[in-house]
Amino acid sequence: MSPNTPGLHHVTAIAGDPQKNADFYVGTLGLRFVKQTVNHDDTGTDHFYFGDGEGSPGTNITFFPWADQGRQGRFGAGQTQTTAYGIPTDSVDYWRDRLESNGIEFEDEERFDETVLRISDPDGIELELVAATDAAFDATPWEDGPVPTEYQLRGFYNVTLAVDDYGPTETILTDVLGYELEVNVDGRHRYRSATGGPGSIVDLVETDAGRGQMGVGTVHHIAFKAESVEEQEQWRKAFADAGLAPSAVIDRKYFQSIYTRGPGGILFEMATTGPGFTEDEALEELGSRLTLPERLEDEREQIEAQLPEFDGPNVASGED
Ligand code: ZN
């Protein structure tokens, strides 16, 4: 028996240049830079987290910037095609203007009676801003951000996962994670968790693009929330019972994680909602310095010397 159906916790992708990455997510989209650390499994690579004013679970998109030497990825089956943030319904005109004045091309479409602004980040990662009528977003505004608080991104709306065949991934979503098929229109299968709320939607689409290749410009994994380590252990068992091969629990300092590769090729993570980003920085200081887990502090000097040049995000308002 699995615990309550989770919503999204974070989405992690691979970027190229760290400066362009941070300038876009903070300077243009107005997310807060809530943490600069390194990839715990590859300390020569940064790990950036962007989220709401507190870096709340359900609002964080995170990146490994592979800088100049990074291999370019290729979109295909087994990957997250699009990551969508919710925006208030009365903010659509603001975002159209803001994207235009920042020179960001966008497509404007209606989907399930909601306005969707589709954009690509500097590395080609597809994003959407969805003017959501029914989502009870609970993001904490970032008072010092470049976007007025009433128009800020409100946390994840959904992710769109691309697979070569719906069936096996649908089974994991419905039988293990507890999502329910809500609608199937134009090849888009939309699943919603019974608990609802932010980030509670997952869309599946089929692609005949062949298997994707991980690299710059692709999403590495998506994480769902586990409210506690006990709940996380129940998810781990549920994945194993479904024939998947979940990892042991890994300490990511700001949360505990387990990972499992889904049958459609997508890497899923279950991440605990605590302890969160104030574990090693005060709320007002989030993202202001390179933080490292205790076990890497002795190597700080070498680690800092290896990381690519990065001056912190530029937070010019981009407005007239
Ligand atoms: Zn993760």
Side-chain angles (χ1 to χ4, degrees):
M1 183 66 189
S2 302
N4 268 343
T5 298
L8 294 165
H9 184 288
H10 65 267
V11 172
T12 294
I14 299 167
D17 180 61
Q19 192 66 53
K20 281 188 191 148
N21 176 252
D23 289 353
F24 178 79
Y25 283 92
V26 180
T28 303
L29 292 188
L31 291 172
R32 186 175 179 192
F33 188 48
V34 290
K35 193 63 68 179
Q36 181 191 359
T37 183
V38 293
N39 181 345
H40 292 183
D41 303 324
D42 167 19
T43 59
T45 301
D46 283 297
H47 193 177
F48 292 170
Y49 292 77
F50 307 102
D52 71 355
E54 297 181 351
S56 311
T59 71
N60 300 306
I61 190 163
T62 98
F63 290 91
F64 302 129
W66 279 5
D68 296 336
Q69 67 277 22
R71 184 185 76 217
Q72 199 66 31
R74 189 172 55 78
F75 171 75
Q79 289 186 340
T80 297
Q81 183 168 35
T82 314
T83 301
Y85 275 93
I87 54 171
T89 47
D90 60 0
S91 71
V92 177
D93 285 338
Y94 170 84
W95 279 103
R96 287 185 180 118
D97 290 347
R98 185 174 180 86
L99 294 172
E100 216 162 272
S101 66
N102 280 272
I104 311 289
E105 284 181 29
F106 62 94
E107 285 174 49
D108 210 322
E109 62 180 66
E110 294 289 311
R111 184 192 299 151
F112 302 131
D113 295 327
E114 292 170 331
T115 300
V116 178
L117 305 180
R118 294 167 55 86
I119 57 179
S120 293
D121 86 351
D123 295 299
I125 290 169
E126 283 189 24
L127 303 168
E128 293 172 344
L129 305 182
V130 180
T133 49
D134 65 343
F137 296 116
D138 56 4
T140 303
W142 179 27
E143 301 291 342
D144 300 325
V147 174
T149 53
E150 67 265 39
Y151 300 137
Q152 287 179 9
L153 273 49
R154 293 291 200 262
F156 293 127
Y157 181 78
N158 77 326
V159 286
T160 300
L161 310 179
V163 289
D164 55 11
D165 172 29
Y166 294 118
T169 302
E170 176 176 82
T171 300
I172 296 300
L173 287 175
T174 57
D175 294 4
V176 179
L177 291 170
Y179 281 78
E180 289 172 21
L181 180 64
E182 181 175 86
V183 65
N184 173 13
V185 177
D186 298 334
R188 178 178 291 269
H189 292 212
R190 170 156 291 188
Y191 305 83
R192 194 184 289 264
S193 74
T195 48
S200 63
I201 299 170
V202 173
D203 288 355
L204 278 187
V205 296
E206 279 185 352
T207 178
D208 52 12
R211 191 47 72 104
Q213 191 173 31
M214 212 249 296
V216 173
T218 64
V219 172
H220 186 268
H221 65 268
I222 60 170
F224 296 95
K225 289 178 203 164
E227 296 293 342
S228 65
V229 287
E230 291 77 23
E231 219 181 83
Q232 182 175 57
E233 183 56 24
Q234 290 175 284
W235 289 116
R236 211 176 63 76
K237 288 205 176 84
F239 282 132
D241 289 346
L244 303 179
S247 73
V249 176
I250 299 173
D251 180 8
R252 295 304 188 194
K253 189 163 180 73
Y254 311 111
F255 37 84
Q256 305 287 319
S257 296
I258 60 164
Y259 301 84
T260 196
R261 181 75 59 183
I266 290 155
L267 185 60
F268 296 115
E269 175 183 352
M270 305 301 294
T272 56
T273 48
F277 297 117
T278 52
E279 179 71 358
D280 58 4
E281 282 179 303
L283 183 59
E284 54 280 5
E285 319 242 284
L286 289 181
S288 59
R289 66 187 193 95
L290 179 73
T291 61
L292 295 172
E294 286 77 13
R295 66 183 166 84
L296 293 175
E297 275 298 347
D298 287 349
E299 301 165 46
R300 175 175 282 273
E301 217 169 293
Q302 302 94 292
I303 288 172
E304 286 182 345
Q306 280 171 11
L307 291 173
E309 174 105 17
F310 173 60
D311 295 331
N314 291 303
V315 197
S317 77
E319 290 184 274
D320 303 328

